[in-house]
């Protein structure tokens, strides 16, 4: 029987592969499995076989090429992102296993109590106020179930950015668009926050956490760093809200997440503007684009 400390689901995906990267760098004892979340019986057999202390679940559906896919594949989205998520968290609860679940921060839109540019972010206690697409609605519904599980660490990830310039990293998406919608938003810099995941599990930290860097940055500012450090000849145009809806089946929210709860545990997480600039400095130093 092969036992492990960490069992990873979804380790071949964008977010999960970075979890694997950091578990490897930290010399953690882990195993990845490819069992689908919808298959509760096999999940239970996996947990019994590997007997992990901690589960990291990065599995789920975000759609291809993006969450617009969920608008026309609602049943598949429910099975993976609601029923499947509950399968793994519930099984871990029954077996007294800590379960870290990768959730979303796409739950809020600036409003009167949280105006754009005010630095007043949405906390984990604020009820979601954005229901403009099916993906976000299902994620919001899922959280109402997850809050009842005392073994679950729910990490709200928003607009992820990574050093590998993966096609799902926000800057890699932005440079492909003919026009961008410019608004300040919270972002999750993977290489800042993923090293914390194993420690949070080992410290038995549970509950919902806004898993983002402090502060906000706009798409214009991100592309400004790309132009400064990577391609000085790069130019772009901004789209209006009306133009944005011509390209998307479903809307996208913009908001600032309050990360005070996360900073109470990890006060050294750097501000998003400094962090994003550091990402492009590393890309330049590593000659990623040459």
């Amino acid at each position: 029987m092969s036992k492990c400390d960490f069992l990873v689901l979804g380790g071949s995906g964008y977010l999960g592969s970075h979890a694997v990267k950091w578990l490897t760098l930290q010399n953690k004892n882990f195993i990845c499995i490819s069992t689908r979340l919808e298959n509760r019986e096999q999940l239970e057999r996996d947990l019994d076989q590997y007997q992990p202390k901690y589960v990291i679940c990065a599995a789920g559906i975000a759609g291809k090429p993006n969450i617009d896919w969920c608008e026309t594949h609602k049943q598949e989205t429910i099975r993976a992102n609601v029923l499947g998520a509950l399968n793994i968290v519930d099984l871990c609860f029954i077996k007294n296993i800590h379960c870290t679940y990768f959730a979303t921060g796409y739950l809020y839109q600036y409003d009167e109590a949280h105006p754009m540019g005010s630095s007043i972010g949405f906390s984990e206690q604020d009820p979601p106020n954005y229901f403009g697409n099916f993906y976000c609605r299902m994620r919001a519904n899922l959280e109402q179930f997850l809050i009842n599980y005392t073994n679950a660490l729910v990490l709200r990830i928003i607009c992820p950015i990574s050093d590998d310039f993966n096609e799902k990293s926000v800057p890699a998406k932005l440079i492909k668009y003919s026009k961008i919608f410019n608004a300040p938003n919270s972002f999750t810099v993977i290489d800042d926050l993923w090293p914390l995941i194993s420690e949070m599990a080992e410290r038995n930290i549970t509950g919902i956490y806004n898993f983002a860097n402090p502060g906000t940055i706009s798409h214009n500012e991100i592309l400004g760093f790309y132009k400064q450090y990577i391609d000085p000849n790069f130019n772009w145009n901004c789209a209006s809200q009306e133009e944005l809806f011509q390209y998307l089946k479903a809307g996208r929210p913009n908001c600032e997440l309050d990360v005070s709860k996360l900073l109470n545990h990890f006060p050294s997480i750097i501000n998003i503007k400094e962090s994003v600039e550091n990402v492009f400095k590393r890309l330049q130093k590593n000659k990623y684009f040459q």
Side-chain angles (χ1 to χ4, degrees):
M1 181 182 295
S2 300
K3 294 183 180 181
C4 64
D5 291 332
F6 289 86
L7 187 67
V8 180
L9 292 90
S12 62
Y14 173 47
L15 301 179
S17 65
H18 282 276
V20 169
K21 166 189 167 181
W22 282 102
L23 289 172
T24 302
L25 290 172
Q26 295 168 337
N27 294 314
K28 300 298 182 183
N29 174 23
F30 71 93
I31 292 174
C32 293
I33 60 172
S34 58
T35 304
R36 296 192 63 82
L37 296 180
E38 299 93 322
N39 190 343
R40 184 182 176 98
E41 292 76 15
Q42 183 58 48
L43 287 174
E44 183 165 20
R45 287 193 288 269
D46 292 335
L47 293 175
D48 289 340
Q49 176 181 351
Y50 299 114
Q51 299 182 23
K53 299 175 183 176
Y54 319 101
V55 166
I56 297 175
C57 181
I61 289 178
K64 292 185 178 181
N66 53 47
I67 60 174
D68 286 350
W69 179 91
C70 300
E71 300 295 318
T72 53
H73 297 78
K74 294 182 177 179
Q75 290 74 28
E76 296 98 315
T77 303
I78 292 171
R79 290 188 199 108
N81 290 357
V82 181
L83 301 178
L86 289 173
N87 276 339
I88 187 62
V89 174
D90 184 60
L91 284 169
C92 286
F93 177 81
I94 293 170
K95 298 175 185 297
N96 196 30
I97 299 170
H98 183 282
C99 184
T100 300
Y101 183 78
F102 286 13
T104 186
Y106 294 108
L107 302 174
Y108 303 103
Q109 179 67 40
Y110 290 118
D111 59 17
E112 290 185 1
H114 309 81
M116 184 184 300
S118 68
S119 298
I120 302 173
F122 290 90
S123 76
E124 292 84 354
Q125 287 72 43
D126 289 315
N129 71 347
Y130 181 80
F131 306 99
N133 63 61
F134 189 76
Y135 174 86
C136 293
R137 292 197 296 274
M138 292 305 99
R139 290 298 195 181
N141 288 339
L142 173 63
E143 277 200 0
Q144 297 307 303
F145 294 108
L146 294 182
I147 58 176
N148 298 290
Y149 285 91
T150 55
N151 64 315
L153 170 62
V154 181
L155 301 179
R156 288 176 169 177
I157 299 159
I158 184 168
C159 300
I161 296 175
S162 54
D163 282 18
D164 59 1
F165 220 72
N166 183 283
E167 63 180 7
K168 293 190 176 182
S169 178
V170 170
K173 293 180 180 181
L174 292 179
I175 64 171
K176 296 178 182 178
Y177 296 151
S178 58
K179 290 186 176 182
I180 64 164
F181 179 68
N182 190 52
N185 207 66
S186 283
F187 288 81
T188 298
V189 177
I190 287 176
D191 286 273
D192 289 341
L193 299 181
W194 261 233
L196 311 179
I197 293 173
S198 61
E199 181 179 346
M200 295 180 81
E202 290 169 342
R203 290 168 55 184
N204 197 35
I205 296 173
T206 58
I208 296 174
Y209 281 79
N210 290 334
F211 207 53
N213 292 69
T216 62
I217 191 171
S218 69
H219 288 168
N220 268 349
E221 291 172 299
I222 293 174
L223 291 179
F225 287 134
Y226 179 81
K227 184 180 180 75
Q228 178 180 351
Y229 291 102
I230 307 300
D231 183 0
N233 297 316
F234 181 78
N235 293 294
W236 66 94
N237 296 302
C238 292
S240 66
Q241 185 77 47
E242 292 72 22
E243 289 177 299
L244 181 67
F245 283 116
Q246 293 177 11
Y247 300 106
L248 301 174
K249 292 181 180 179
R252 303 288 194 274
N254 292 284
C255 70
E256 178 173 358
L257 297 179
D258 182 342
V259 295
S260 300
K261 185 177 177 182
L262 181 65
L263 291 175
N264 285 337
H265 295 285
F266 303 99
S268 62
I269 299 172
I270 63 175
N271 181 274
I272 187 59
K273 292 184 181 181
E274 179 183 355
S275 179
V276 172
E277 183 171 16
N278 287 342
V279 168
F280 283 106
K281 286 180 178 178
R282 291 192 293 269
L283 288 168
Q284 182 191 58
K285 180 180 179 181
N286 296 332
K287 299 181 180 180
Y288 187 86
F289 292 92
Q290 296 183 8

